[in-house]
Amino acid sequence: MDSTTYRCFAPCPRGLEALLLQELTTLGAADLRQTEGGVGFSGALAVLYRANLESRIASRILLEVAHVPYRNEQDIYVAACAIPWPQWFPPSRTIKVKTSAQHCPLKSLDFVTLRIKDAVCDTFTRLKGARPSVNSSRPDIRIDAFLDATHLTLYLGTTGDSLFKRGFRQSTVDAPLRENLAAGIVQLTGWNGTTPLLDPLCGGGTIPLEAAMIARHIPPGLGRRFAFELFSNFDQALWKTVQTKARENQLSASPAPIYASDRDARAVQTAKDQFARAGVAGDIALTQRDLFDLTPPQEPGIIVMNPPYGVRLGTQADLDVFYPKLGAWLKTRCVGWRVYLFTGDLRAPKLIGLAPSKRTPLFNGAIECRLYEFIIVQGGARRRLTPPAQA
């Protein structure tokens, strides 16, 4: 059995780093180091497998193979040549090198990428007499390089397709929310599956789907393949054990009702298809209904919604009309509920006319957003939409 301790890095949507650190701790990771945009950690092979299978927040799991100082492109080539790449994968695998940087003094990251690719191929040719081919669209093995001002870090991608690609989304709606961001939003609400959850603007159903998987303890990666299965050190028996233990922890049904609705028929059908493929259709009451025609269930719980915010969907003029109507709906129909609104429109609280009890900064890709919490009480927590008339 492989007793090696591996150093890894798990990137995630910005704003979810603390959640990811907590998650990786429960998965057995050690030496955790939270940075902007991700968490570094160490662990045995089983931890690496579990992180890929069970993490709801991480975007990828990257395995560190080098961390060295550099001054120029030749230093980078030499460092990449020093790695015994054939120990990790055979030359029959296809590769792709991706380089990112922060405060890097070198002029061209494209040239750095080329030098790393050359180093990998030259090492294979020297040691094996054959070299891997490059596949820039769907490689077997992804090599990630990160450069800061003084150091190069090289990683092997253990994940393959990003972890937010759960494998359930076959059709899509406009501007869908990434699954790991949706899972993080649900977790930030504090919802634990014991009270009702409602998403009245569900679109393709990503938020209620992630909520159902959280409530049922369904590992998000259970229905997909991973790049580490192509590594030379892949332990098939260990991987089966990790999967079996994860399956044993699943619940047969969600312990609390989950409600989802949207006015768009195509979005509702997309959501229905996703729920069925994930095996949670019976856990989510899905309806086609306009938000303003909807009355929430009598038993209060948590409302989570991701309305348009004028960047990828909707116009500012549309939102100027929508948000005051949303505020009126919340005040009249949602008393007793805790409401979480995820938006990139930072005017939302003012337009809604409610004072948020909490503001959590999050990023949807490069878009700076907020997760606002509103506790809806009868006649309380309100804000005037216009100032009082002057005497």
Side-chain angles (χ1 to χ4, degrees), residues 86 89-94 124 128 130-133:
F89 58 93
S92 57
R93 302 297 184 196
T94 59
F124 267 99
K128 294 293 183 180
R131 49 158 287 177
S133 298

Side-chain angles (χ1 to χ4, degrees), residues 1 36 73 86 94 108 123 164 200 231 279 293 310 336 361 382:
M1 181 179 290
E36 184 179 356
E73 292 86 354
T94 59
S108 172
T123 301
F164 64 78
F231 287 5
D293 295 330
R382 301 193 181 181

